[in-house]
Amino acid sequence: RHAYLALSDSGSMLEVDERDSDSLADITVLEVGAGTGLCSLALAASGCKSVLATDVDNTTLRLMKHAAKTQQLTAIRTSHLDLMGTQALPRRDVLIAADVMYSAPLARSLARRCVEALGLGMRVVIVDPGRPTRRDFQDELAMLQINCEFQETRHAGSFAAWARGSGTALLGLHVPMADVVECRRRVVRHDAVPDSAKNFRIEA
């Protein structure tokens, strides 16, 4: 069987085979702009050694912490981090950002954060549903002499294999609406999370 890691509320996905759990046991992840923390919760549930979920909004961080506690996901930690600020990125194996390019300045800041992460030896996956600001992201990367083409793909393949060095170090994913629908079928709402900001967990 496979578990599908939803990387954003809009349904962005990577695929994790249940047999990957041992392979993920020493993988550390940093999520920026985590929002509801769906990606972080899924990765922690799938066996990653540690997941640091960051966001600029302290309320969402508290809700993420609540969701992780409710689901007994001890691998998750939360921290305040502003993508447009000057705070250095914590070093991890993988950086994930899913559907965070809400404005041109934020998209350009994300591009610079990608370069920062790559300079630290991290692997980076950026998921975007097709926001117009993607061009700002790509233009900023181009100015920094880095190319990032977004793959129009149903599934990105094995997260464990990619995290361990398979394929490009900077992975751009465009997720079509069909994947959004499939993602939402494969996650379930966690009843213990407040109605004001629901989080999700992987379906058993």
Side-chain angles (χ1 to χ4, degrees), residues 51-67:
V51 181
L52 180 60
T54 68
D55 200 276
V56 71
D57 188 328
N58 289 322
T59 298
T60 63
L61 292 175
R62 288 195 297 271
L63 289 169
M64 269 189 274
K65 189 177 296 185
H66 173 80

Side-chain angles (χ1 to χ4, degrees), residues 7-34:
L7 299 189
S8 75
D9 288 341
S10 59
S12 320
M13 290 167 35
L14 283 180
E15 181 182 25
V16 173
D17 191 292
E18 63 180 1
R19 294 167 296 184
D20 285 342
S21 57
D22 289 342
S23 299
L24 292 171
D26 63 349
I27 297 295
T28 60
V29 178
L30 168 66
E31 183 180 9
V32 295

Side-chain angles (χ1 to χ4, degrees), residues 10-11 13 175-187:
S10 59
M13 290 167 35
V175 180
M177 184 55 66
D179 281 358
V180 174
V181 175
E182 181 175 356
C183 168
R184 287 174 176 170
R185 285 201 305 262
R186 291 178 179 272
V187 295

Side-chain angles (χ1 to χ4, degrees), residues 93-119:
D93 297 318
V94 173
L95 180 142
I96 289 177
D99 192 15
V100 301
M101 294 186 275
Y102 295 112
S103 68
L106 187 54
R108 291 184 177 276
S109 292
L110 178 61
R112 293 190 291 272
R113 290 295 194 172
C114 288
V115 174
E116 180 184 352
L118 292 170

